[in-house]
């Protein structure tokens, strides 16, 4: 699959007059088309709802777009709950899936009417002590252990994950919760990350639908929903074929009709919690080449660094790169594309074949729309960049300003570093 940019060099030349690089920019048209396709793919299920994984791209402007397509929010922290509430999500629009959860986070989730998804059987007692009661609607996160495989292909290793109940604990937990007055139950599981295959979700659905039917039969608990969580990935590499969400939706529908309907569970709602799939391809990190270095290797030094996109440094993850204005030129030069952190892993690409790069060139790093800005940090005193939204009409809106040194020093309440440096008499 050819990786195409949704910005042009001319557009970036215009944008940088007001917003200097580096910055993240998001494609409203792509986000809307994708959200619409997801909604249509699962329209066969009357209770279907997508709970956008806020951790992927916690920006209220983008969350507001998704709300127009009926999306809720999947939260895992106090501040994500606050953000979701601030953009108008409430009650069952919010799924709270956390782990090692502080008491105050459970309190806020319940105050907002969120559906709480318990990560461990001991959290039943902890939640009850924290609130003084148990909500009438609760979910439990399932971890089957071992490896999750499809055919001979191992997709991931949930047995090493810190999340979820064992199967035996799911049965025990449902019985305890039912005895304590819980009336509506949900099942949640996340077994593989960033799968680029149409088979993952249907395979996961079969496993969870079978568990739901067994749990309802054996414990008498009313299973109201099955949450397939995330895991639908995106093609970071140009040689990967993207997932087809309509094929995925149809595969889940088939499993639903073969397992849940014969079990008399045709009213069970299907939920998803997608982050990367919803936003990943519709974000670019735009950065400028500011240095070139010719030593043992050829280096293109850019004004972004791992602060702006952590995945390559953290995981060795591949992100495609386009040199704007040189899309048609041959990729016949080899570079390491690097940032300015005092860490040798601060590299967006290693031995990447690109057109000849010159100082002043603008580089687009693809697929930064999820787990891009949100994973940023302030190591080396680096400041997080602006976020921009490219609207369908071609206009560009600032949806988060860039950090300033004053922001960085703001938490030193008793030590006026900024004022001492810039406001000395």
């Amino acid at each position: 699959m050819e990786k195409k940019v949704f910005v042009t060099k001319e557009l970036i030349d215009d944008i940088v007059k007001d917003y200097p690089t580096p910055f993240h920019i998001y494609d409203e048209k792509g986000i809307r088309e994708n959200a619409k396709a997801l909604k249509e793919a699962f329209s066969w299920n009357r209770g279907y709802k997508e709970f956008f994984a806020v951790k992927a791209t916690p920006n209220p402007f983008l969350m507001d777009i998704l709300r127009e397509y009926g999306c809720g929010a999947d939260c895992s922290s106090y501040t994500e709950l606050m953000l979701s509430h601030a953009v108008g999500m409430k009650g069952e629009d919010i799924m709270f899936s956390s782990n090692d959860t502080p008491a105050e986070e459970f309190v806020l989730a319940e105050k907002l009417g969120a559906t709480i998804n318990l990560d461990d059987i001991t959290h039943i007692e902890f939640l009850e002590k924290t609130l003084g009661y148990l909500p009438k609607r609760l979910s439990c996160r399932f971890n089957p252990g071992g490896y999750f495989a499809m055919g001979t292909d191992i997709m991931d290793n949930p047995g090493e994950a810190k999340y979820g109940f064992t199967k035996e604990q799911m049965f025990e937990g449902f019985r305890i919760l039912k005895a304590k007055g819980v009336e509506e139950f949900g099942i949640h599981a996340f077994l593989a990350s960033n799968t680029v295959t149409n088979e993952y979700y249907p395979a996961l659905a079969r496993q969870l639908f079978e568990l739901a039917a067994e749990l309802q039969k054996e414990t008498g608990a009313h299973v109201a929903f099955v949450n397939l969580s995330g895991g639908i990935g995106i093609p970071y590499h140009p040689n990967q074929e993207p997932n087809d969400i309509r094929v995925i939706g149809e595969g889940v529908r088939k499993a639903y009709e073969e397992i849940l309907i014969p079990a008399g569970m045709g009213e069970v709602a299907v939920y998803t919690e997608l982050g990367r799939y919803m936003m990943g391809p519709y974000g670019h990190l735009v950065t400028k080449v500011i240095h070139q270095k010719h030593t043992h290797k050829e280096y293109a030094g850019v004004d972004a660094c791992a602060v702006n996109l952590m995945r390559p440094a953290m995981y060795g993850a591949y992100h495609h790169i386009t040199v704007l204005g040189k899309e048609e030129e041959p990729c016949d030069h080899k570079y390491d594309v690097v940032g300015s952190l005092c860490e040798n892993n601060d590299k967006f690409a290693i031995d990447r074949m690109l057109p000849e790069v010159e100082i002043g060139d603008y580089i687009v790093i693809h697929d930064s729309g999820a787990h891009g800005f949100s994973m940023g940090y302030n190591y080396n005193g680096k400041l997080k960049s602006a976020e921009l939204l490219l609207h369908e009409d071609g206009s560009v809106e600032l949806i988060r300003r860039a950090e300033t040194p004053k922001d960085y020093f703001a938490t030193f309440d008793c030590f006026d570093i900024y004022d001492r440096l810039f406001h000395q008499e």
Side-chain angles (χ1 to χ4, degrees):
M1 183 190 77
E2 184 181 358
K3 303 286 283 186
K4 294 183 178 180
V5 291
F6 56 78
V7 296
T8 62
K9 183 178 184 300
E10 292 73 25
L11 176 62
I12 297 303
D13 283 335
D14 191 50
I15 290 173
V16 297
K17 295 173 185 176
D18 297 310
Y19 309 113
T21 55
F23 53 77
H24 287 270
I25 187 167
Y26 305 96
D27 177 24
E28 181 184 8
K29 181 181 179 182
I31 292 168
R32 288 186 178 278
E33 290 176 350
N34 191 53
K36 182 173 180 287
L38 174 68
K39 186 175 181 179
E40 292 172 352
F42 286 89
S43 62
W44 53 267
N45 182 257
R46 189 167 63 179
Y48 172 73
K49 193 173 187 69
E50 156 63 13
F51 292 85
F52 171 64
V54 177
K55 64 179 177 287
T57 321
N59 188 294
F61 290 84
L62 304 179
M63 292 168 67
D64 244 355
I65 293 173
L66 296 181
R67 280 185 66 215
E68 295 181 33
Y69 298 88
C71 297
D74 163 39
C75 301
S76 57
S77 70
Y78 196 94
T79 48
E80 288 181 358
L81 286 166
M82 292 175 65
L83 176 59
S84 300
H85 179 65
V87 300
M89 295 181 184
K90 54 189 177 182
E92 292 181 9
D93 288 337
I94 302 174
M95 183 72 60
F96 183 57
S97 299
S98 63
N99 68 95
D100 194 21
T101 310
E104 60 268 22
E105 298 192 2
F106 278 139
V107 171
L108 180 58
E110 173 63 5
K111 179 180 178 181
L112 297 180
T115 299
I116 294 173
N117 182 35
L118 296 174
D119 182 65
D120 184 68
I121 193 166
T122 64
H123 291 182
I124 296 173
E125 182 180 359
F126 184 84
L127 180 63
E128 187 174 28
K129 286 183 176 179
T130 297
L131 300 179
Y133 61 91
L134 288 174
K136 297 298 184 184
R137 176 182 169 94
L138 280 172
S139 177
C140 296
R141 183 167 183 168
F142 172 55
N143 184 332
Y147 291 92
F148 180 76
M150 294 191 302
T152 58
D153 295 328
I154 294 175
M155 306 299 292
D156 218 321
N157 184 8
E160 289 295 317
K162 64 176 181 175
Y163 311 106
F165 292 54
T166 67
K167 186 173 182 180
E168 293 75 17
Q169 288 172 342
M170 289 290 287
F171 282 87
E172 182 183 356
F174 269 45
R175 290 189 176 101
I176 292 170
L177 291 170
K178 187 172 184 293
K180 289 179 176 290
V182 175
E183 297 172 357
E184 290 191 354
F185 291 75
I187 299 171
H188 173 287
F190 180 88
L191 303 186
S193 178
N194 193 37
T195 62
V196 189
T197 168
N198 295 330
E199 304 305 317
Y200 167 65
Y201 242 30
L204 171 64
R206 285 187 177 276
Q207 188 165 341
L208 294 188
F209 293 163
E210 288 171 355
L211 176 62
E214 193 175 351
L215 279 166
Q216 184 157 303
K217 180 181 179 182
E218 296 297 325
T219 69
H222 169 55
V223 178
F225 66 86
V226 172
N227 189 337
L228 303 177
S229 68
I232 297 180
I234 62 174
Y236 286 101
H237 289 266
N239 60 352
Q240 290 179 296
E241 285 296 319
N243 288 315
D244 187 328
I245 197 62
R246 289 179 173 82
V247 172
I248 291 170
E250 178 62 17
V252 175
R253 182 195 64 78
K254 185 177 180 183
Y256 188 99
E257 292 184 351
E258 291 178 0
I259 299 167
L260 290 184
I261 289 180
M265 300 173 66
E267 298 299 315
V268 172
V270 173
Y271 296 161
T272 57
E273 291 177 349
L274 303 172
R276 193 190 316 263
Y277 179 80
M278 299 302 290
M279 289 289 179
Y282 312 110
H284 290 336
L285 173 58
V286 181
T287 181
K288 184 168 69 173
V289 178
I290 57 173
H291 289 287
Q292 287 183 294
K293 185 173 182 177
H294 317 285
T295 54
H296 305 291
K297 303 183 77 172
E298 291 294 310
Y299 294 94
V302 298
D303 59 4
C305 62
V307 163
N308 309 107
L309 180 62
M310 194 175 178
R311 296 185 73 255
M314 188 174 185
Y315 304 120
Y318 179 95
H319 280 260
H320 199 64
I321 290 176
T322 295
V323 184
L324 285 180
K326 298 182 178 181
E327 291 88 340
E328 303 304 319
E329 295 185 15
C331 295
D332 54 3
H333 287 65
K334 185 186 292 185
Y335 298 97
D336 281 13
V337 180
V338 302
S340 59
L341 286 187
C342 291
E343 294 289 342
N344 195 46
N345 67 349
D346 183 23
K347 299 179 179 180
F348 293 112
I350 297 173
D351 294 334
R352 185 71 58 87
M353 299 304 295
L354 297 170
E356 184 175 8
V357 171
E358 301 169 274
I359 291 176
D361 280 344
Y362 291 111
I363 283 179
V364 164
I365 303 177
H366 291 246
D367 301 315
S368 71
H371 311 292
F373 180 95
S374 65
M375 292 181 73
Y377 55 112
N378 290 118
Y379 183 57
N380 276 183
K382 295 293 185 178
L383 304 175
K384 297 177 76 173
S385 66
E387 291 182 292
L388 309 176
L389 180 60
L390 175 62
H391 288 293
E392 292 181 288
D393 64 4
S395 64
V396 174
E397 180 181 7
L398 178 69
I399 59 173
R400 191 196 302 261
R401 67 166 175 82
E403 287 183 338
T404 68
K406 194 168 186 178
D407 296 318
Y408 181 79
F409 294 123
T411 52
F412 294 108
D413 293 332
C414 61
F415 195 62
D416 55 350
I417 294 173
Y418 190 86
D419 288 338
R420 290 185 187 193
L421 180 62
F422 292 106
H423 297 99
Q424 292 177 347
E425 294 183 0

